[in-house]
Amino acid sequence: METSKVVILITTATEEEARSIAGLLLEKRKAACVNIVPVVESLFWWQGKLDSDRESLMIVKSRASLLPEIIEMVKKAHSYEVPEIIALPVIGASEDYLKWLDSEVGVD
């Protein structure tokens, strides 16, 4: 079972913000790939009230060992007071894809 790789979900206020954060992560080699879904409808609790907004969703592929650095970078660059940064373990993937990911962000 593969657990050293993660997929990280990050929502942003705008597509431009997602592109900016993706650029930082890629430039610093903290991510091998970032997909951006330009518009998602988010429903959530915020400050005791039910709220909703249109956001962009980033899907970041990286190594679990880089997660603390990624969280710190995203928090500094993000416009939200409490940004959504959720990492999911990769439990299986194509060996070729995993080798490529390692070559782009380094091997643990």
Side-chain angles (χ1 to χ4, degrees):
M1 176 166 39
E2 178 62 51
T3 58
S4 66
K5 311 301 183 290
V6 289
V7 172
I8 307 162
L9 305 176
I10 302 167
T11 52
T12 60
T14 65
E15 184 178 351
E16 293 75 24
E17 183 175 35
R19 287 183 182 279
S20 175
I21 293 171
L24 289 171
L25 295 175
L26 291 163
E27 180 182 308
K28 298 293 185 183
R29 296 284 191 170
K30 303 304 177 193
C33 175
V34 179
N35 303 114
I36 298 172
V37 181
V39 179
V40 294
E41 184 73 22
S42 297
L43 306 163
F44 52 92
W45 285 98
W46 181 247
Q47 298 179 339
K49 294 189 286 189
L50 203 51
D51 204 348
S52 66
D53 207 350
R54 289 184 177 264
E55 300 178 295
S56 289
L57 173 64
M58 300 171 57
I59 306 167
V60 180
K61 286 75 156 213
S62 190
R63 289 186 291 124
S65 63
L66 295 173
L67 186 58
E69 292 174 75
I70 291 169
I71 290 171
E72 193 59 36
M73 288 175 69
V74 170
K75 287 171 73 174
K76 285 181 181 176
H78 209 289
S79 64
Y80 290 172
E81 182 181 338
V82 182
E84 174 185 25
I85 309 166
I86 298 173
L88 305 172
V90 173
I91 60 168
S94 156
E95 282 301 315
D96 292 336
Y97 186 84
L98 295 176
K99 286 177 187 174
W100 169 81
L101 193 156
D102 278 338
S103 74
E104 298 306 325
V105 293
V107 181
D108 286 330

